[in-house]
Amino acid sequence: LNSQDRRTKHSRYGFALCIHAMNGCDDSMLFTAVDQINRGDPTVILDHEHSSLVARLNLQAGKKAMGMSDYVSALSLFEHGISFLQECHWQQNYDLSLELFNCSTKCAYAVGDHEKLKCRTDEVLSFGRVFEDKLIVLYYFVSALCDASLLNEAIAKAVWVLSMLGEDLYQTSSRDET
């Protein structure tokens, strides 16, 4: 088999296993189905419904991996889920996109992949509809700045976040002094 045929067969096998995996009885079936689909190729899935299904399955499997403290596998699953999202996913699948990106950011922080964390944070900051949707990625971004001993940047970003939430630290401290 050539590589394209092999990827197509992996995808088909994974979709066949999805029926059993979606029953929720057996986590190993979910992981196997998702692994087979991910060995396929996102370009094999052309329609919106199937690509959204694969993204959701990766999200579900990634959350289960996080629950087992396997953040490396979880990050890989979330990234696969993101790769299956279609071009206008922020408009067509906002909630799914936000959840995948938030989970990817959390796992990227947990495994110390600060480049991936920054990339995912930037995208959520660009496409998040309301500021509250951006808080999770901002939390991990500020935490990563602290971990990197970039305390001035971390403090500045945290103060900015609090000001966006209506908290004025400087006004509060001047009131406390009087």
Side-chain angles (χ1 to χ4, degrees):
L1 289 173
N2 66 38
S3 64
Q4 182 61 36
D5 288 341
R6 187 177 301 116
R7 287 193 302 266
T8 300
K9 288 197 182 294
H10 279 295
S11 292
R12 286 184 183 156
Y13 180 60
F15 277 114
L17 293 174
C18 275
I19 296 165
H20 301 290
M22 290 169 34
N23 290 337
C25 318
D26 185 6
D27 288 348
S28 65
M29 185 64 72
L30 172 66
F31 288 120
T32 302
V34 170
D35 178 61
Q36 288 300 308
I37 294 169
N38 290 346
R39 288 173 187 259
D41 186 354
T43 61
V44 171
I45 301 171
L46 300 175
D47 67 79
H48 174 72
E49 286 181 38
H50 280 97
S51 64
S52 295
L53 171 65
V54 174
R56 277 189 191 80
L57 287 169
N58 272 284
L59 177 64
Q60 183 181 359
K63 286 181 172 182
K64 288 186 182 289
M66 275 179 31
M68 294 183 281
S69 299
D70 186 355
Y71 290 96
V72 172
S73 295
L75 177 59
S76 176
L77 289 161
F78 296 135
E79 289 300 310
H80 276 291
I82 290 168
S83 76
F84 278 95
L85 293 171
Q86 297 206 333
E87 191 173 320
C88 298
H89 62 92
W90 284 107
Q91 292 77 28
Q92 296 173 346
N93 270 326
Y94 181 80
D95 292 334
L96 176 60
S97 298
L98 183 64
E99 194 166 6
L100 279 165
F101 277 74
N102 282 341
C103 289
S104 176
T105 302
K106 179 178 183 175
C107 289
Y109 175 74
V111 302
D113 188 342
H114 293 224
E115 186 176 313
K116 178 71 65 188
L117 185 148
K118 173 88 169 80
C119 176
R120 295 304 177 214
T121 297
D122 288 345
E123 191 157 350
V124 172
L125 293 178
S126 294
F127 293 101
R129 292 181 182 163
V130 295
F131 189 74
E132 288 76 10
D133 289 347
K134 303 172 186 184
L135 290 175
I136 292 173
V137 297
L138 286 167
Y139 168 79
Y140 289 110
F141 183 71
V142 170
S143 296
L145 290 173
C146 290
D147 292 350
S149 297
L150 299 170
L151 298 181
N152 287 337
E153 290 178 47
I155 291 168
K157 184 62 81 174
V159 168
W160 174 77
V161 168
L162 289 171
S163 72
M164 294 297 292
L165 293 170
E167 296 295 325
D168 185 358
L169 295 181
Y170 301 109
Q171 185 179 31
T172 302
S173 63
S174 65
R175 277 189 296 194
D176 292 343
E177 293 172 6
T178 57

